[in-house]
């Protein structure tokens, strides 16, 4: 299916007369592969965020809102490390 699409796009997968059309098709396939790899990488990266990182974010948010003092913030931050 993909090769049929590439054969109809531009001069064709094999080129109009055996020319360099295959380079364009190869570039297109590499672009598709890079997009798929990026999506997978972003999905995996988001899942492996540790609980400690999220706890530090929450602690920072609470400190920024003024819910905890700087001493309490530093003490809890040291406990997380």
């Amino acid at each position: 299916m993909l090769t049929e699409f590439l054969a109809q796009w531009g001069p064709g997968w094999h080129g109009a007369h055996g020319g360099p059309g295959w380079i364009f098709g190869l570039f297109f396939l590499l672009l598709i592969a890079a997009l798929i790899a990026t999506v997978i990488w972003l999905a995996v990266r988001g899942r492996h965020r540790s609980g400690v990182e999220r706890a530090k974010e929450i602690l920072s948010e609470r400190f920024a809102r003024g819910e905890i003092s700087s001493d309490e913030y530093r003490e809890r931050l040291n406990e997380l490390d």
Side-chain angles (χ1 to χ4, degrees):
M1 182 171 156
L2 183 60
T3 55
E4 292 173 14
F5 175 72
L6 291 173
Q8 295 173 3
W9 196 28
W13 176 254
H14 297 291
H17 299 287
W22 63 273
I23 294 173
F24 186 68
L26 181 63
F27 175 75
F28 183 73
L29 285 175
L30 291 174
L31 180 66
I32 298 278
L35 288 173
I36 291 171
T38 301
V39 168
I40 291 171
W41 178 74
L42 288 172
V44 169
R45 182 176 155 235
R47 285 189 196 164
H48 289 299
R49 205 164 117 193
S50 73
V52 174
E53 290 176 19
R54 181 63 186 135
K56 287 180 180 180
E57 286 178 15
I58 293 171
L59 190 60
S60 296
E61 291 170 5
R62 290 186 63 202
F63 178 66
R65 286 192 300 260
E67 295 177 5
I68 57 175
S69 68
S70 60
D71 292 334
E72 186 177 359
Y73 172 75
R74 279 190 228 109
E75 179 183 327
R76 291 184 182 198
L77 194 59
N78 287 335
E79 290 177 12
L80 290 173
D81 288 332

